[in-house]
Amino acid sequence: MKYKWRRICVIAGMIVLCLLASDVAGNNSQDFESGADIKSEISKERMLDIIQDISAAPHPVNSEQIQNVKEYIVKCFEKMGYQDIEYQRFEYNDANNENAIRRSSQTDLFLAPTAEDVVADGSGENIIVTRYASADTDKNLIISAHYDSSPESAGANDNGSGVAAVMELARILKDADIPYNLKFIMFSGEEKYMLGSRWYAGNLSQSDQDNIVGVINIDSIAETSDLGYMVMVSGNKTSDDIVEYNEEDIEKLAELNKNEISELFMENERFRLTMAVNSDHYPFSLLNIPAVSIVQDWEDGLSVNDSSDMIENLDPDRLEEVVGLVLEVVFKL
């Protein structure tokens, strides 16, 4: 009983903090003509508050703790005025998931349900929030992050930072004049090799796929560092002169597989292009949808997936920088 009461108090406190932050920062909507104009609206303090609220404890997929985080995120979106909020539940089987991971380049297998006709070992839930354009259009830009953590980590950087950045983008872009729909998606189960984004991508019809302008996924961006960021891409283009998968060859592969979204990010010197399959852009890439993951450069290693991933190790200036850079790309589109 004490535990249940404590959980209720924690959820209530998180929601109150979210509502207060939204009241302070969410009542200044106006029209913007460019990403440069809109950058003045970015609030580092609000993003830090979100990270603090959702990274009090580990919250892996299929845990009671992740339900607290989900409820908090949804309440924040509701307070921002978003009404079109969907929940996409999925189940998974661990043995089948391991088999799919070993065959991650096989689209049909990797994007297929893992718990069909077998006992499910757990479940997760994606949160899909849609902001419709003022003009009638079926075109969608997806801006996403995963909101689960590994079982050993409270997940301040991986991926509280990505969640906070997406929610700040959602707040700022709520009333901006953009000629396509925005879908802000919080994926669950990324730490089990992208369960949530695989489920979402695997359930897209051909028409849905054709109408996606692109995917900008944000994952682990804010640990204190002087290094820039990576634009992760993936694809099946290769070349005969790439014989070893060293750093130079990975750069060559990335250049071959760049897409419309990655090229916009590469106009900024803070980014470097790399080939990678370990974040939520990858399932979309398998469907030939222009997709990227924005991740801070990990040349010196990152303190993620263990107890060292704490908010004390984060740099709020990096949060502000990434949100600003994503805004530039959104308006270039």
Side-chain angles (χ1 to χ4, degrees):
M1 180 64 70
K2 287 183 179 178
Y3 176 77
K4 290 183 178 179
W5 176 246
R6 185 164 62 250
R7 179 172 179 252
I8 293 170
C9 291
V10 168
I11 295 173
M14 289 165 66
I15 291 172
V16 168
L17 286 171
C18 170
L19 300 186
L20 288 173
S22 296
D23 280 338
V24 171
N27 296 324
N28 298 314
S29 63
Q30 53 185 302
D31 292 329
F32 297 95
E33 295 181 356
S34 72
D37 294 336
I38 208 169
K39 284 184 180 181
S40 62
E41 292 294 295
I42 300 172
S43 170
K44 292 185 287 187
E45 292 76 16
R46 185 173 190 276
M47 287 187 279
L48 284 174
D49 285 344
I50 291 170
I51 295 170
Q52 183 73 61
D53 293 342
I54 67 176
S55 61
H59 43 282
V61 65
N62 198 48
S63 67
E64 185 172 359
Q65 291 80 7
I66 202 170
Q67 294 303 312
N68 300 344
V69 176
K70 185 194 80 172
E71 291 170 25
Y72 172 83
I73 290 171
V74 170
K75 287 294 183 182
C76 285
F77 273 112
E78 289 176 341
K79 182 60 180 177
M80 284 188 270
Y82 285 94
Q83 298 179 342
D84 195 314
I85 303 176
E86 304 171 68
Y87 308 96
Q88 186 183 49
R89 188 176 183 273
F90 59 86
E91 295 182 334
Y92 61 89
N93 173 275
D94 285 326
N96 285 348
N97 188 44
E98 289 295 326
N99 183 54
I101 292 169
R102 287 193 293 270
R103 294 163 175 82
S104 60
S105 62
Q106 300 177 29
T107 303
D108 291 346
L109 179 59
F110 192 59
L111 301 187
T114 65
E116 200 169 52
D117 301 325
V118 296
V119 175
D121 291 314
S123 65
E125 204 163 18
N126 297 328
I127 307 167
I128 306 163
V129 182
T130 304
R131 194 225 73 159
Y132 292 100
S134 55
D136 186 26
T137 180
D138 293 324
K139 298 296 182 183
N140 301 302
L141 172 68
I142 293 173
I143 302 177
S144 64
H146 74 89
Y147 71 100
D148 62 308
S149 75
S150 74
E152 294 80 26
S153 171
N157 192 33
D158 184 14
N159 190 30
S161 64
V163 170
V166 171
M167 293 178 71
E168 183 68 354
L169 287 161
R171 183 185 69 83
I172 293 171
L173 293 170
K174 175 69 169 57
D175 299 310
D177 185 15
I178 297 173
Y180 43 79
N181 307 318
L182 294 172
K183 286 190 177 291
F184 302 101
I185 305 181
M186 301 299 185
F187 292 119
S188 186
E190 190 269 354
E191 299 294 350
K192 275 187 172 287
Y193 219 79
M194 300 156 283
L195 280 171
S197 56
R198 284 159 54 194
W199 185 269
Y200 183 89
N203 281 280
L204 292 170
S205 67
Q206 187 59 56
S207 176
D208 292 334
Q209 296 176 38
D210 294 341
N211 280 317
I212 295 177
V213 176
V215 178
I216 301 173
N217 183 64
I218 305 176
D219 190 351
S220 307
I221 56 171
E223 185 176 308
T224 301
S225 169
D226 293 329
L227 296 173
Y229 306 92
M230 296 185 293
V231 179
M232 289 182 173
V233 297
S234 185
N236 55 16
K237 295 178 183 177
T238 188
S239 173
D240 292 339
D241 65 346
I242 298 175
V243 293
E244 295 182 15
Y245 288 95
N246 53 32
E247 186 171 342
E248 182 180 352
D249 284 347
I250 289 174
E251 289 179 0
K252 290 179 182 177
L253 279 173
E255 183 64 27
L256 285 172
N257 288 281
K258 63 186 179 182
N259 57 56
E260 296 93 329
I261 304 295
S262 67
E263 288 189 285
L264 292 175
F265 279 100
M266 293 309 297
E267 294 176 14
N268 189 296
E269 62 181 13
R270 289 285 281 164
F271 292 102
R272 70 176 179 90
L273 195 64
T274 190
M275 189 82 163
V277 299
N278 57 336
S279 195
D280 284 314
H281 68 290
Y282 180 58
F284 297 95
S285 298
L286 287 173
L287 299 174
N288 297 315
I289 295 169
V292 301
S293 281
I294 305 303
V295 184
Q296 73 180 94
D297 199 317
W298 58 45
E299 182 180 309
D300 297 332
L302 291 179
S303 300
V304 296
N305 296 331
D306 59 34
S307 60
S308 65
D309 187 0
M310 302 180 293
I311 193 169
E312 291 79 9
N313 296 330
L314 303 190
D315 180 356
D317 289 340
R318 296 184 71 92
L319 294 166
E320 181 180 43
E321 181 180 32
V322 170
V323 170
L325 295 171
V326 172
L327 285 170
E328 289 180 9
V329 169
V330 168
F331 278 89
K332 285 176 184 175
L333 281 169

